[in-house]
Amino acid sequence: MDIQIELPSLKYKDSFLKAVQEFQQLESHRSEDREYDEYPLNMTDNDFENLVIRPKLDAIKGLGLPQGYVPCTEFWIIDNDGFSGRVSLRHFLSDYLKNQGGHIGYAVCPSKRQKGYVKTAFRLVLKEAAKMGIRQVLMTCDEDNVGSKKTITGALKEFGGYEDVPYEATGQMPILRYWINTKQRD
């Protein structure tokens, strides 16, 4: 399985829209699944550039972000079929992200889940974080998110770092927090 990460591009429009359709058919309430609800499935190339590509490229520079958001580079997870998901690297942490979001977020197409996509994309984005001068990334996940916890603790063993104190808000499940080095152990 050949997986790469790339910046958003018009060349992946068809596979992106196919993935959007997959996400929209889910009955999930997870925010990473619902983020694709806003996209119409019948976009022209111009619509795709304006509604998908441009906002993602602007976010790298911190342009047009909602209040409280930080600059972020969204990489698309690409395989032989094209777009298979995304992995986002936040350039720094706000107070909110220090507790409940971390540096990296991801969403993988439902048909591609549990096949190693996140593991590979996560390691690739750690290299990108190192290039940006980020020495450690904060990763968070809900206490009951077995898949994310497995991915994060695997990277922790491979790259080094430490488990931090969980974030606990009233009436909310504890959020596990891990600091992971961006350079692999020798």
Side-chain angles (χ1 to χ4, degrees):
M1 166 176 52
D2 183 29
I3 297 172
Q4 301 169 20
I5 58 172
E6 296 182 24
L7 291 175
S9 169
L10 180 61
K11 67 184 174 181
Y12 298 114
K13 176 186 154 202
D14 291 341
S15 57
F16 179 89
L17 292 175
K18 182 178 176 188
V20 166
Q21 187 171 22
E22 255 189 82
F23 280 109
Q24 289 178 356
Q25 290 172 349
L26 286 177
E27 292 187 21
S28 170
H29 296 290
R30 295 172 26 185
S31 61
E32 59 270 15
D33 292 337
R34 299 283 40 108
E35 70 188 66
Y36 295 93
D37 287 352
E38 68 187 75
Y39 296 116
L41 296 173
N42 59 347
M43 285 190 253
T44 65
D45 287 356
N46 192 47
D47 291 339
F48 192 75
E49 286 283 351
N50 291 321
L51 296 172
V52 180
I53 304 296
R54 183 171 295 131
K56 294 178 185 318
L57 297 180
D58 284 350
I60 296 170
K61 302 173 202 164
L63 302 174
L65 299 176
Q67 181 74 25
Y69 280 57
V70 301
C72 174
T73 302
E74 181 173 307
F75 295 97
W76 285 0
I77 302 169
I78 305 298
D79 68 3
N80 295 334
D81 298 326
F83 178 89
S84 295
R86 62 112 184 126
V87 58
S88 302
L89 173 61
R90 298 172 190 107
H91 300 182
F92 59 88
L93 299 175
S94 65
D95 288 339
Y96 173 82
L97 293 173
K98 288 176 187 173
N99 294 314
Q100 300 189 59
H103 281 95
I104 298 172
Y106 51 84
V108 175
C109 295
S111 63
K112 309 279 177 139
R113 292 180 180 170
Q114 297 182 351
K115 296 180 181 179
Y117 281 73
V118 172
K119 178 181 178 179
T120 301
F122 183 58
R123 280 146 183 81
L124 293 170
V125 86
L126 285 175
K127 292 177 184 178
E128 296 297 327
K131 288 179 195 175
M132 292 175 67
I134 302 171
R135 297 180 66 205
Q136 283 189 321
V137 295
L138 175 65
M139 287 294 299
T140 67
C141 69
D142 289 341
E143 187 177 55
D144 69 346
N145 189 334
V146 177
S148 284
K149 186 175 179 181
K150 182 179 175 183
T151 296
I152 293 167
T153 56
L156 186 64
K157 289 176 188 166
E158 189 176 332
F159 286 80
Y162 63 95
E163 184 173 355
D164 207 340
V165 176
Y167 174 75
E168 296 189 39
T170 305
Q172 184 177 319
M173 179 179 306
I175 296 174
L176 305 178
R177 301 168 64 244
Y178 302 86
W179 289 93
I180 299 172
N181 299 332
T182 58
K183 294 200 181 216
Q184 233 170 347
R185 294 180 178 182
D186 294 327

